[in-house]
Amino acid sequence: MTEKARKCPYCSKPLTRRPYWKHIQEVHPKEFENDTGTWIQLFNDYSAMGMNKQVSLQVIAEIFNKSPKIIEDFLKEQNIL
């Protein structure tokens, strides 16, 4: 089964490198820092892989240099949690 190709939401470049957020972090650092939509995508991806909630929140928090509580509160506000 082939995975749907992701495209960068900022430059539309196909994202072939994993993790896909690395391109955004390196090429679009300001957008990366402020794009909470990426938190949703990462949480959904991690959940789909079977990662538990607390580990997912911790990983996202470390990637974005935020506290897990900030990530959790945001995801609750967005009705993801």
Side-chain angles (χ1 to χ4, degrees):
M1 180 188 297
T2 60
E3 185 177 321
K4 180 182 172 190
R6 293 184 191 268
K7 289 187 177 187
C8 174
Y10 306 106
C11 67
S12 298
K13 180 180 178 181
L15 301 177
T16 56
R17 225 172 102 196
R18 290 195 180 224
Y20 67 86
W21 52 264
K22 199 74 169 156
H23 162 85
I24 298 170
Q25 183 183 43
E26 292 173 354
V27 178
H28 313 285
K30 288 181 183 175
E31 292 89 342
F32 178 80
E33 181 66 27
N34 297 311
D35 184 8
T36 54
T38 304
W39 301 358
I40 295 169
Q41 185 64 55
L42 286 172
F43 185 81
N44 289 336
D45 288 351
Y46 293 156
S47 295
M49 291 187 301
M51 195 179 289
N52 76 39
K53 180 181 106 174
Q54 289 312 117
V55 172
S56 297
L57 294 173
Q58 185 63 43
V59 170
I60 296 167
E62 289 177 11
I63 291 169
F64 287 90
N65 198 28
K66 305 284 184 198
S67 77
K69 178 74 172 134
I70 289 172
I71 306 295
E72 183 175 22
D73 289 346
F74 171 78
L75 293 174
K76 284 180 180 177
E77 288 172 8
Q78 301 302 310
N79 295 317
I80 304 300
L81 293 176

